[in-house]
Amino acid sequence: MDSRPTRLICALTSASLEDMRAGLAAAARDGADVAECRLDLLDRLPDREELEILLGDAPLETIATCRPVRQGGRYDGPEDRRLAVLADAADAGATWVDVESDVPPAQRPQARTILSHHDFAGCPADLDRIAADLEASPAEVNKIAFTAAGPEDALRALDVVRACRKPTIASAMGEPGFLSRVLARKVGAFGVFAALSRQSGSAAGQVSVQEIRQLYRWDAIGPRTQCFGVIGCPVGHSMSPAIHNAAFGAAGLDAVYVPLLIQPGAEAFDRFLDALLARPWLDWRGLSVTIPHKENALRYVGPARCDGLAAAIGAVNTVTFEPAGCGERSSLRGDNTDYAAAIDALCQTMSITRDDLAGRTVALLGAGGAARAILAALHRHGARTVVYNRTVERGRRLAREFGAQAVGLDELDRLQAQIIINCTPIGMHPNCDASPLESIPRTAGVVFDTIYNPIRTRLITQAEQAGCLTVSGLDMFVNQAVAQFVRWTARPAPRDTMRQVVLDRLGG
Ligand code: NAP
């Protein structure tokens, strides 16, 4: 195996030689270890002299690649010319050349070679045989890249790296395969591809060198790094990776947190969880779960291993892996940190305990997932709640489960409650001028808007002007991330760091 830490390889995809030279400098400046020059993406193939200018005094190690159309690249000229350019690139100073595994051995350039195999249709059924063929070749480095259908395919890529004796790159391309990039360093891969910017990548799912270094704590990842992630669909917009990675950094923990795109449906969810549990070497410790998988998480973990309200709410948003003995499967625990986050934000603002909610009157606007979690907690602590929902029947169904009443939104002008909680998206970005209420009723002393983008919604402004105490969705959002951190690590959470990440992201 290779003794150097996994290299960050910046793929350069410029159309002009001048821009590609500038890209080499930018890649070095951003902290890449190696740059891949995609010669097939240049507007014309460079001659020998131009290759010397490009590669001769490059500020970092380089890979010369000239990918043919048949392997997903753009070069469609004669094969002998392509291979001659690669040989020239090696002579001109490229550290490695990338040669596709379908090139007959006798025709491969005499150079330090990365022998590559690509499959854009999906994870090949014969992945192990492909890896074995690459291993058997005299090439210095193996490379396998395939399109991932789900994050379990990314785990297959990590399996390949672990099984190979030669330095190996294994990329599960596309957003679902993202974890194969971040965790490549944990399994000691030869390298992982990243881009100069998200827009300039050479394959789907590539992040920028800066993002992988800063957001995903690249330099801190090692063989014993504990893994966490957020499951959802979509998941690309989630702030959780930024919050939890910053929190791990601030707490000095050897841990990393990644987004995990899983298509809707119990089958896709189960497939990934089964794949995680089958690999104790991953040191997987926790999952955040968001739409549409919270019910799947409850079912998978089993209500008996979930906190009492999670089962009543019907949703688990936090899964904790409790490690078993060496090499054994972890056991799972499910929690719902949403309701506690909301109720605690409310009680902190009111300077009361949860039990002091007993007998207080609450108007709960909305009957979706957030309303359900909050209503279950209000019910448990004895508050008297009326649900106001656009679809009255849905509101009634929810209210019945928790001994509440339900009416339509047209009743809002007759609202009389001490506490108002908005669990609808009315007022959410970009409709920031909207509010679910024309005015704040005189009975209200506290207004809680679960929306966190923007942090100051129109409803919150109205409530402040009416002299009410206010609770923002930001408080709830940070509280639930803090609760997850504590659940997973049994340590106090760096709350200020986590809150600041959200504020930075929201521009507030
Ligand atoms: P959800 O399950 O889709 O439920 C949405 C609810 O809002 C439903 O009751 C829906 O009524 C109602 N609604 C949607 N659009 C409406 C409109 N134009 N006019 C009136 N009512 C409308 O969503 P959710 O997950 O509960 O999320 C709801 C809100 O909570 C979001 O704004 C989200 O930002 C916030 N939230 C915040 C946090 C946090 O940590 N701060 C966490 C979760 C959610 P129908 O039944 O008639 O469709």
Side-chain angles (χ1 to χ4, degrees), residues 291 366-371 389-391 394 409 423-426 428 450-452 473 476-477:
I291 293 167
N389 198 44
R390 181 176 60 182
T391 310
R394 186 182 183 193
L409 291 181
C423 290
T424 75
I426 303 173
M428 191 160 85
T450 61
I451 293 172
Y452 57 82
M476 173 179 170
F477 188 69

Short mmCIF file of all heavy atoms in Angstrom, two decimals, residues 291 366-371 389-391 394 409 423-426 428 450-452 473 476-477, ligand 1:
data_model
loop_
_atom_site.label_atom_id
_atom_site.label_comp_id
_atom_site.label_asym_id
_atom_site.label_seq_id
_atom_site.Cartn_x
_atom_site.Cartn_y
_atom_site.Cartn_z
N ILE A 291 -36.82 14.35 5.75
CA ILE A 291 -37.86 13.97 4.79
C ILE A 291 -37.24 13.25 3.59
O ILE A 291 -36.23 13.73 3.08
CB ILE A 291 -38.61 15.24 4.33
CG1 ILE A 291 -39.40 15.80 5.54
CG2 ILE A 291 -39.55 14.97 3.18
CD1 ILE A 291 -39.93 17.21 5.30
N GLY A 366 -51.02 24.52 11.38
CA GLY A 366 -50.42 23.48 10.55
C GLY A 366 -50.65 22.11 11.16
O GLY A 366 -50.93 21.99 12.37
N ALA A 367 -50.58 21.09 10.30
CA ALA A 367 -50.82 19.73 10.78
C ALA A 367 -49.86 18.75 10.11
O ALA A 367 -50.16 17.57 9.94
CB ALA A 367 -52.27 19.32 10.52
N GLY A 368 -48.69 19.24 9.71
CA GLY A 368 -47.69 18.38 9.06
C GLY A 368 -46.74 17.78 10.08
O GLY A 368 -47.07 17.65 11.27
N GLY A 369 -45.54 17.43 9.60
CA GLY A 369 -44.57 16.74 10.45
C GLY A 369 -44.14 17.55 11.67
O GLY A 369 -44.09 17.03 12.78
N ALA A 370 -43.85 18.85 11.47
CA ALA A 370 -43.39 19.68 12.59
C ALA A 370 -44.51 19.85 13.62
O ALA A 370 -44.29 19.72 14.83
CB ALA A 370 -42.93 21.03 12.07
N ALA A 371 -45.73 20.10 13.12
CA ALA A 371 -46.87 20.28 14.03
C ALA A 371 -47.11 19.01 14.84
O ALA A 371 -47.40 19.06 16.04
CB ALA A 371 -48.12 20.63 13.21
N ASN A 389 -55.71 24.27 10.58
CA ASN A 389 -55.04 23.77 9.36
C ASN A 389 -55.85 24.06 8.12
O ASN A 389 -57.08 24.11 8.14
CB ASN A 389 -54.79 22.26 9.47
CG ASN A 389 -53.74 21.81 8.46
OD1 ASN A 389 -52.72 22.48 8.31
ND2 ASN A 389 -53.99 20.73 7.76
N ARG A 390 -55.13 24.27 7.01
CA ARG A 390 -55.79 24.55 5.72
C ARG A 390 -56.71 23.40 5.36
O ARG A 390 -57.87 23.60 5.05
CB ARG A 390 -54.68 24.74 4.66
CG ARG A 390 -55.19 25.06 3.30
CD ARG A 390 -54.04 25.32 2.36
NE ARG A 390 -53.14 24.16 2.24
CZ ARG A 390 -52.05 24.16 1.50
NH1 ARG A 390 -51.68 25.23 0.84
NH2 ARG A 390 -51.29 23.07 1.43
N THR A 391 -56.19 22.17 5.41
CA THR A 391 -57.03 20.99 5.14
C THR A 391 -57.61 20.55 6.48
O THR A 391 -56.92 19.92 7.30
CB THR A 391 -56.18 19.87 4.52
OG1 THR A 391 -55.44 20.42 3.42
CG2 THR A 391 -57.02 18.71 4.05
N ARG A 394 -57.39 16.90 7.72
CA ARG A 394 -56.05 16.47 8.16
C ARG A 394 -55.78 16.99 9.58
O ARG A 394 -55.22 16.28 10.41
CB ARG A 394 -55.00 17.02 7.19
CG ARG A 394 -53.61 16.53 7.47
CD ARG A 394 -52.63 17.14 6.50
NE ARG A 394 -51.29 16.63 6.70
CZ ARG A 394 -50.20 17.17 6.16
NH1 ARG A 394 -50.30 18.22 5.38
NH2 ARG A 394 -49.02 16.66 6.39
N LEU A 409 -58.33 27.33 8.78
CA LEU A 409 -57.60 28.60 8.90
C LEU A 409 -58.55 29.80 8.92
O LEU A 409 -58.20 30.87 9.41
CB LEU A 409 -56.61 28.74 7.74
CG LEU A 409 -55.40 27.78 7.73
CD1 LEU A 409 -54.51 28.07 6.53
CD2 LEU A 409 -54.59 27.90 9.01
N CYS A 423 -46.56 26.33 12.38
CA CYS A 423 -45.88 25.18 11.75
C CYS A 423 -46.28 25.04 10.30
O CYS A 423 -46.31 23.94 9.74
CB CYS A 423 -46.22 23.89 12.51
SG CYS A 423 -45.50 23.80 14.13
N THR A 424 -46.64 26.16 9.66
CA THR A 424 -46.86 26.16 8.21
C THR A 424 -45.68 26.90 7.57
O THR A 424 -44.96 27.62 8.27
CB THR A 424 -48.16 26.92 7.82
OG1 THR A 424 -47.92 28.32 7.93
CG2 THR A 424 -49.34 26.52 8.70
N PRO A 425 -45.52 26.75 6.25
CA PRO A 425 -44.42 27.51 5.61
C PRO A 425 -44.82 28.94 5.25
O PRO A 425 -44.07 29.60 4.52
CB PRO A 425 -44.11 26.67 4.37
CG PRO A 425 -45.32 25.85 4.12
CD PRO A 425 -46.14 25.77 5.36
N ILE A 426 -45.95 29.43 5.76
CA ILE A 426 -46.36 30.80 5.38
C ILE A 426 -45.39 31.80 6.00
O ILE A 426 -45.23 31.85 7.22
CB ILE A 426 -47.80 31.10 5.87
CG1 ILE A 426 -48.78 30.07 5.32
CG2 ILE A 426 -48.21 32.51 5.47
CD1 ILE A 426 -50.18 30.18 5.89
N MET A 428 -42.18 31.86 4.80
CA MET A 428 -40.84 31.31 4.55
C MET A 428 -40.26 31.93 3.27
O MET A 428 -41.02 32.29 2.36
CB MET A 428 -40.94 29.79 4.39
CG MET A 428 -39.63 29.07 4.40
SD MET A 428 -39.89 27.33 4.80
CE MET A 428 -40.29 26.67 3.23
N THR A 450 -41.82 28.48 13.65
CA THR A 450 -40.81 27.43 13.44
C THR A 450 -39.95 27.68 12.20
O THR A 450 -38.92 27.02 12.01
CB THR A 450 -41.46 26.03 13.30
OG1 THR A 450 -42.32 26.03 12.17
CG2 THR A 450 -42.21 25.63 14.56
N ILE A 451 -40.36 28.61 11.36
CA ILE A 451 -39.55 28.94 10.16
C ILE A 451 -38.21 29.54 10.59
O ILE A 451 -38.18 30.37 11.49
CB ILE A 451 -40.32 29.95 9.27
CG1 ILE A 451 -41.57 29.28 8.68
CG2 ILE A 451 -39.43 30.53 8.17
CD1 ILE A 451 -42.49 30.24 7.96
N TYR A 452 -37.12 29.10 9.95
CA TYR A 452 -35.82 29.71 10.29
C TYR A 452 -35.19 30.45 9.12
O TYR A 452 -34.09 31.00 9.24
CB TYR A 452 -34.85 28.69 10.88
CG TYR A 452 -34.57 27.49 9.99
CD1 TYR A 452 -33.64 27.57 8.97
CD2 TYR A 452 -35.25 26.30 10.19
CE1 TYR A 452 -33.40 26.49 8.16
CE2 TYR A 452 -35.01 25.21 9.39
CZ TYR A 452 -34.09 25.30 8.38
OH TYR A 452 -33.86 24.22 7.56
N GLY A 473 -37.52 29.95 14.69
CA GLY A 473 -37.19 28.61 14.20
C GLY A 473 -35.71 28.30 14.36
O GLY A 473 -35.31 27.15 14.47
N MET A 476 -35.11 26.51 17.57
CA MET A 476 -35.51 25.11 17.47
C MET A 476 -34.50 24.31 16.64
O MET A 476 -34.08 23.22 17.02
CB MET A 476 -36.89 25.04 16.81
CG MET A 476 -37.37 23.65 16.49
SD MET A 476 -39.03 23.72 15.75
CE MET A 476 -39.20 22.02 15.19
N PHE A 477 -34.07 24.94 15.55
CA PHE A 477 -33.15 24.25 14.63
C PHE A 477 -31.82 23.94 15.32
O PHE A 477 -31.29 22.83 15.23
CB PHE A 477 -32.94 25.15 13.41
CG PHE A 477 -32.18 24.49 12.30
CD1 PHE A 477 -32.75 23.47 11.57
CD2 PHE A 477 -30.89 24.89 11.99
CE1 PHE A 477 -32.04 22.86 10.55
CE2 PHE A 477 -30.18 24.28 10.98
CZ PHE A 477 -30.76 23.26 10.26
P1 NAP B 1 -45.33 19.55 6.13
O1 NAP B 1 -45.31 18.24 6.79
O2 NAP B 1 -45.30 19.63 4.64
O3 NAP B 1 -46.64 20.35 6.63
C1 NAP B 1 -46.93 21.63 6.14
C2 NAP B 1 -48.17 22.18 6.85
O4 NAP B 1 -48.33 23.53 6.45
C3 NAP B 1 -49.45 21.44 6.51
O5 NAP B 1 -50.29 21.50 7.62
C4 NAP B 1 -50.00 22.29 5.37
O6 NAP B 1 -51.41 22.27 5.30
C5 NAP B 1 -49.60 23.68 5.77
N1 NAP B 1 -49.41 24.54 4.63
C6 NAP B 1 -48.51 24.38 3.62
N2 NAP B 1 -48.62 25.41 2.75
C7 NAP B 1 -49.61 26.20 3.20
C8 NAP B 1 -50.20 27.41 2.74
N3 NAP B 1 -49.77 28.01 1.62
N4 NAP B 1 -51.19 27.96 3.44
C9 NAP B 1 -51.63 27.38 4.56
N5 NAP B 1 -51.14 26.23 5.07
C10 NAP B 1 -50.12 25.65 4.38
O7 NAP B 1 -44.12 20.47 6.62
P2 NAP B 1 -43.36 20.41 8.04
O8 NAP B 1 -42.18 19.54 7.94
O9 NAP B 1 -44.36 20.21 9.10
O10 NAP B 1 -42.77 21.90 8.08
C11 NAP B 1 -43.63 23.00 8.32
C12 NAP B 1 -42.84 24.22 8.72
O11 NAP B 1 -42.07 23.95 9.88
C13 NAP B 1 -41.84 24.69 7.66
O12 NAP B 1 -42.02 26.06 7.48
C14 NAP B 1 -40.47 24.46 8.24
O13 NAP B 1 -39.60 25.53 7.94
C15 NAP B 1 -40.75 24.43 9.72
N6 NAP B 1 -39.81 23.51 10.40
C16 NAP B 1 -38.85 24.06 11.18
C17 NAP B 1 -37.96 23.25 11.84
C18 NAP B 1 -36.90 23.87 12.70
O14 NAP B 1 -36.01 23.17 13.17
N7 NAP B 1 -36.97 25.15 12.97
C19 NAP B 1 -38.03 21.87 11.70
C20 NAP B 1 -39.04 21.32 10.90
C21 NAP B 1 -39.92 22.17 10.25
P3 NAP B 1 -52.23 21.13 4.51
O15 NAP B 1 -52.42 20.01 5.49
O16 NAP B 1 -53.48 21.81 4.12
O17 NAP B 1 -51.37 20.75 3.33
#
